[in-house]
Amino acid sequence: VQLQASGGGLVQAGGSLRLSCGLSGEIFRIGAVGWYRQAPGKQRDLVAFISLDRTTNYADSVKGRFTITRDNAKKTVNLQMNSLKPEDTAVYYCNADVRTSAFNPRYTNYWGQGTLVTVSS
């Protein structure tokens, strides 16, 4: 199973970006998916989370500005980021629980590579 994150880039404060996480490989079902970010010298923190039933949760710092959505048919999870601030600058990673077989109920956790978001003031 591979997770491909894309959509990062350089944007001015107040601008918007849309990150996409595409999943591929042997996938029977995608469970919970989260977007994390890691700024230089800091730990990796959860930004947004969406469960299998589309329940969402957000870090306080991004509530009202970021929206996470999922398209199970396309095997993608998107993060719409609006009203970006310089403190949103970080490498963003997607993380997913994936069930690879109809005969095995176990979910395995996977990470994608990061995509850099830089917000200039």
Side-chain angles (χ1 to χ4, degrees):
V1 176
Q2 295 82 41
L3 278 64
Q4 180 73 39
S6 61
L10 174 63
V11 64
Q12 288 189 330
S16 298
L17 282 175
R18 186 173 187 241
L19 304 185
S20 182
C21 179
L23 290 88
S24 62
E26 195 170 338
I27 298 171
F28 174 73
R29 182 169 293 142
I30 302 169
V33 180
W35 279 98
Y36 292 73
R37 67 185 181 189
Q38 187 168 19
K42 295 189 177 181
Q43 66 181 22
R44 189 175 298 186
D45 291 324
L46 179 65
V47 175
F49 169 93
I50 186 165
S51 68
L52 182 60
D53 66 0
R54 290 184 165 80
T55 300
T56 58
N57 196 16
Y58 298 92
D60 288 342
S61 59
V62 307
K63 281 181 181 176
R65 300 188 297 122
F66 290 11
T67 303
I68 188 171
T69 56
R70 63 189 292 160
D71 185 330
N72 291 330
K74 294 182 178 179
K75 297 184 177 66
T76 59
V77 176
N78 296 319
L79 184 67
Q80 179 66 41
M81 306 187 296
N82 299 327
S83 303
L84 283 162
K85 305 175 180 179
E87 51 264 43
D88 294 319
T89 295
V91 178
Y92 284 70
Y93 300 87
C94 57
N95 174 276
D97 292 327
V98 178
R99 180 177 169 182
T100 59
S101 169
F103 306 104
N104 185 347
R106 186 172 67 96
Y107 283 80
T108 302
N109 188 258
Y110 295 90
W111 285 96
Q113 94 295 352
T115 184
L116 177 62
V117 172
T118 304
V119 184
S120 62
S121 57

